[in-house]
């Protein structure tokens, strides 16, 4: 084994210099990542229960406001 550092360069990609990434490709990739993350983190059973618990005070205040409006 040799202890000297060796420089390793990747092989040039011929097509990359000629065709830059377009906005449509970039937006499709971002949309795909967002869809995966939303499905994984926001639309599961545990998250639904948390959303329900978080919305409970708003629902109760809305019902209280409706009841108070009918009473007056």
């Amino acid at each position: 084994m040799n202890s000297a550092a060796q420089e390793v360069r990747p092989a040039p990609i011929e097509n990359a210099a000629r065709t830059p990434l377009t906005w449509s490709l970039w937006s499709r990739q971002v949309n795909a990542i967002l869809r995966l993350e939303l499905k994984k983190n926001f639309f599961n059973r545990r998250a639904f229960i948390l959303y329900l618990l978080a919305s409970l005070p708003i629902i109760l205040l809305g019902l209280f406001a409706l009841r108070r409006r009918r009473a007056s």
Side-chain angles (χ1 to χ4, degrees), residues 40-55:
K40 183 173 69 171
N41 294 321
F42 292 115
F43 299 128
N44 58 21
R45 187 182 306 155
R46 184 173 30 172
F48 179 74
I49 293 170
L50 288 175
Y51 297 148
L52 186 64
L53 287 174
S55 64

Side-chain angles (χ1 to χ4, degrees), residues 17-58:
R18 293 186 200 143
T19 56
L21 292 177
T22 60
W23 283 103
S24 64
L25 174 63
W26 186 81
S27 63
R28 283 193 317 244
Q29 290 173 342
V30 168
N31 285 334
I33 292 170
L34 283 175
R35 259 186 277 120
L36 287 172
E37 290 297 320
L38 286 174
K39 189 186 297 184
K40 183 173 69 171
N41 294 321
F42 292 115
F43 299 128
N44 58 21
R45 187 182 306 155
R46 184 173 30 172
F48 179 74
I49 293 170
L50 288 175
Y51 297 148
L52 186 64
L53 287 174
S55 64
L56 194 59
I58 297 169

